[in-house]
Amino acid sequence: MSGIVVVYHSGYGHTRKVAEYLARGAKAELIAIDDNGDLPESAWDKLAEAKTIVFGAPTYMGNASWQFKKFADATSKIWFMRGWQNKLFAGFTNSASPAGDKGLTLAWLQTLAGQHGGIWISLGMLPSNTKAAKNTDLNALGGSTGLLVQSPSDASVDEIPQGGLDTATAFGTRIAEITEQFT
């Protein structure tokens, strides 16, 4: 494995699919936060051993899901002991609307990483923002801090715009390359 772990919560399966595409690009291990906001006990050891932790959460009502927030709160003992100090971090979020206040969620994920003393990996690609741009383009939503993906509210998991999934894979590749530079 790459030393990269993607820890995420997915309420309806869309964020899980984005996590899978990102993990494919990063050759990362996936850890799902369950519907109660909990992780398997062994997951904490994997997070402790990881070189890079990628946070993933859907954006609900302007921030991460409560399940992800419960996980974040559960990291307070790690924070106090500086257990994730100087790890690399990255993040992504998904919501139904093109904007959907995803930027707030991403900023919160970045803040969580900063509180842990982490080093944040940005998306690192230009936005697709010309008149000719389509939702099949890389970075069609114009993120820079991290990955932003839209899954329309009436879309099945198989109908996530391909540009978002391709951006997830490209971001995973970037995360792996940066992780390699730091090890």
Side-chain angles (χ1 to χ4, degrees):
M1 293 304 276
S2 63
I4 302 167
V5 174
V6 178
V7 59
Y8 71 95
H9 172 255
S10 183
Y12 300 97
H14 299 87
T15 305
R16 180 192 74 240
K17 187 165 186 174
V18 174
E20 291 168 352
Y21 273 73
L22 190 147
R24 186 176 306 143
K27 296 179 179 54
E29 183 170 355
L30 291 168
I31 297 175
I33 299 167
D34 70 20
D35 289 339
N36 294 318
D38 297 320
L39 294 178
E41 195 58 39
S42 64
W44 292 105
D45 292 335
K46 292 176 184 178
L47 289 166
E49 295 167 6
K51 298 173 189 172
T52 301
I53 299 173
V54 181
F55 295 140
T59 295
Y60 296 154
M61 304 307 292
N63 209 327
S65 62
W66 71 262
Q67 292 91 338
F68 192 92
K69 290 176 190 172
K70 181 180 176 185
F71 156 75
D73 287 349
T75 70
S76 64
K77 289 180 184 175
I78 298 165
W79 165 82
F80 184 76
M81 300 302 293
R82 306 314 293 158
W84 291 349
Q85 182 79 21
N86 297 326
K87 281 189 186 286
L88 298 171
F89 288 88
F92 69 94
T93 189
N94 175 61
S95 73
S97 298
D101 297 319
K102 285 189 273 295
L104 295 171
T105 302
L106 208 52
W108 182 78
L109 295 174
Q110 186 179 27
T111 299
L112 177 62
Q115 289 172 330
H116 279 285
I119 302 164
W120 189 259
I121 302 171
S122 69
L123 186 62
M125 67 177 69
L126 292 171
S128 176
N129 59 6
T130 65
K131 290 191 296 184
K134 302 178 290 296
N135 68 359
T136 54
D137 294 341
L138 289 179
N139 200 16
L141 296 181
S144 58
T145 305
L147 173 64
L148 308 174
V149 178
Q150 178 195 12
S151 298
S153 62
D154 58 349
S156 74
V157 171
D158 295 326
E159 295 175 297
I160 298 171
Q162 192 61 46
L165 298 174
D166 291 343
T167 305
T169 302
F171 188 34
T173 300
R174 173 177 164 77
I175 292 166
E177 289 170 352
I178 291 174
T179 299
E180 186 66 28
Q181 289 176 15
F182 278 79
T183 58

